[in-house]
Amino acid sequence: TRLSATVTTWPPVFLSGLSWNTGGQVVTVALNLVLTPFLLLHLGVSRYGLYALLSSLRGLLSNLDGGLGPTASRYFSVFAGSRDRRATSSLLMTVSVMLALVVGTLAALVAIFAPNITVFVHASTALHREAAVLMRAFMPLMFVSALRTVFQQIISAQHRWAYLNISGTISTVVYAVLALLFVWQGHGLIGLFWANVGQEVVLVLASVVGARHFVKLRECHLLPWGEIRDILRYATRVQ
């Protein structure tokens, strides 16, 4: 009977998740298709290309979290299945601390050596300083994004696809509006950085609010060392 119930509920759950994920991606792609020609026109090919390249580098660096992100997603799903809010809360605290150490260290190192790193993007002399400033500015955003993702994984483990995609779509709209406004006013790449900040603020607020029902603040303490060691062992294999 349990197997038949699972088979019965699987197609609607799958189709619901697929539809929300697809809808969110369509909106994001559509906004970027509209926004990109505007940015190319007002920033120029070199400056916009520099922004795109540094944004991609930021995305690549965000994956160097020691495998903690995918590992947390796995364990949150297990705890969601058993409705264990205590374990979810403890894992939230534990992973957040570990991510703060790993991603915080990486972000600090990249910020320190940003002028040396941006040499490899082969930016023109006029844009080199701007590239270093933008790279440094991206690092706090990368740090906050890593911690925010933990809250999103809690929501994802509860299959709240609609909430995740609606909040993600709203954040993309906020980014597009701010990018249009700041670039139109002549703020250049720093204007795009502040557009990213606006997007991140929306995502952080939505993630914390959405995850609050599945977390007990009183249970937010570190897991026992034996469990932390198991998490680290799994995370290193994932990374």
Side-chain angles (χ1 to χ4, degrees), residues 67-77 91 95 99 150 153 231 234:
L68 291 169
T71 300
S73 180
R74 172 187 182 273
Y75 281 94
F76 280 134
S77 298
L91 181 62
V95 172
L99 277 174
V150 181
Q153 289 169 341
I231 290 173
Y234 184 88

Side-chain angles (χ1 to χ4, degrees), residues 50 54 57 107-125 127-137 139:
L50 178 62
L54 293 180
L57 180 57
L109 289 173
V110 173
I112 292 171
F113 295 103
N116 305 93
I117 295 173
T118 51
V119 168
F120 294 98
V121 304
H122 299 290
S124 63
T125 304
L127 293 178
H128 185 260
R129 182 179 180 278
E130 197 170 1
V133 170
L134 185 62
M135 195 68 218
R136 281 176 171 156
M139 290 304 99

Side-chain angles (χ1 to χ4, degrees), residues 14-228:
F14 172 77
L15 292 176
S16 175
L18 178 63
S19 62
W20 280 111
N21 286 327
T22 302
Q25 291 177 13
V26 168
V27 172
T28 299
V29 170
L31 284 173
N32 283 323
L33 285 175
V34 173
L35 186 62
T36 300
F38 173 84
L39 295 178
L40 282 170
L41 178 64
H42 287 81
L43 294 176
V45 175
S46 296
R47 186 169 270 108
Y48 178 76
L50 178 62
Y51 170 76
L53 187 58
L54 293 180
S55 295
S56 299
L57 180 57
R58 169 194 165 193
L60 177 63
L61 291 173
S62 67
N63 292 322
L64 302 179
D65 62 353
L68 291 169
T71 300
S73 180
R74 172 187 182 273
Y75 281 94
F76 280 134
S77 298
V78 172
F79 297 151
S82 59
R83 300 181 184 275
D84 193 342
R85 291 176 62 188
R86 176 179 297 180
T88 296
S89 304
S90 297
L91 181 62
L92 170 64
M93 174 61 72
T94 302
V95 172
S96 296
V97 171
M98 290 192 291
L99 277 174
L101 293 173
V102 175
V103 180
T105 301
L106 175 64
L109 289 173
V110 173
I112 292 171
F113 295 103
N116 305 93
I117 295 173
T118 51
V119 168
F120 294 98
V121 304
H122 299 290
S124 63
T125 304
L127 293 178
H128 185 260
R129 182 179 180 278
E130 197 170 1
V133 170
L134 185 62
M135 195 68 218
R136 281 176 171 156
F138 271 155
M139 290 304 99
L141 276 183
M142 186 180 75
F143 178 77
V144 172
S145 177
L147 298 180
R148 177 256 303 166
T149 302
V150 181
F151 289 90
Q152 288 182 318
Q153 289 169 341
I154 295 175
I155 301 171
S156 177
Q158 301 293 332
H159 295 174
R160 298 190 64 189
W161 315 120
Y163 185 88
L164 285 172
N165 282 278
I166 290 173
S167 59
T169 300
I170 292 173
S171 72
T172 303
V173 172
V174 168
Y175 165 76
V177 171
L178 291 178
L180 287 170
L181 178 63
F182 288 135
V183 173
W184 181 268
Q185 292 179 344
H187 295 290
L189 295 185
I190 296 302
L192 287 180
F193 163 73
W194 286 112
N196 277 274
V197 171
Q199 181 181 29
E200 192 62 41
V201 167
V202 172
L203 289 173
V204 168
L205 292 176
S207 301
V208 173
V209 170
R212 74 187 191 283
H213 296 299
F214 311 108
V215 174
K216 292 182 177 180
L217 291 179
R218 294 181 179 179
E219 301 296 337
C220 286
H221 51 73
L222 295 177
L223 291 168
W225 172 244
E227 295 182 33
I228 293 177

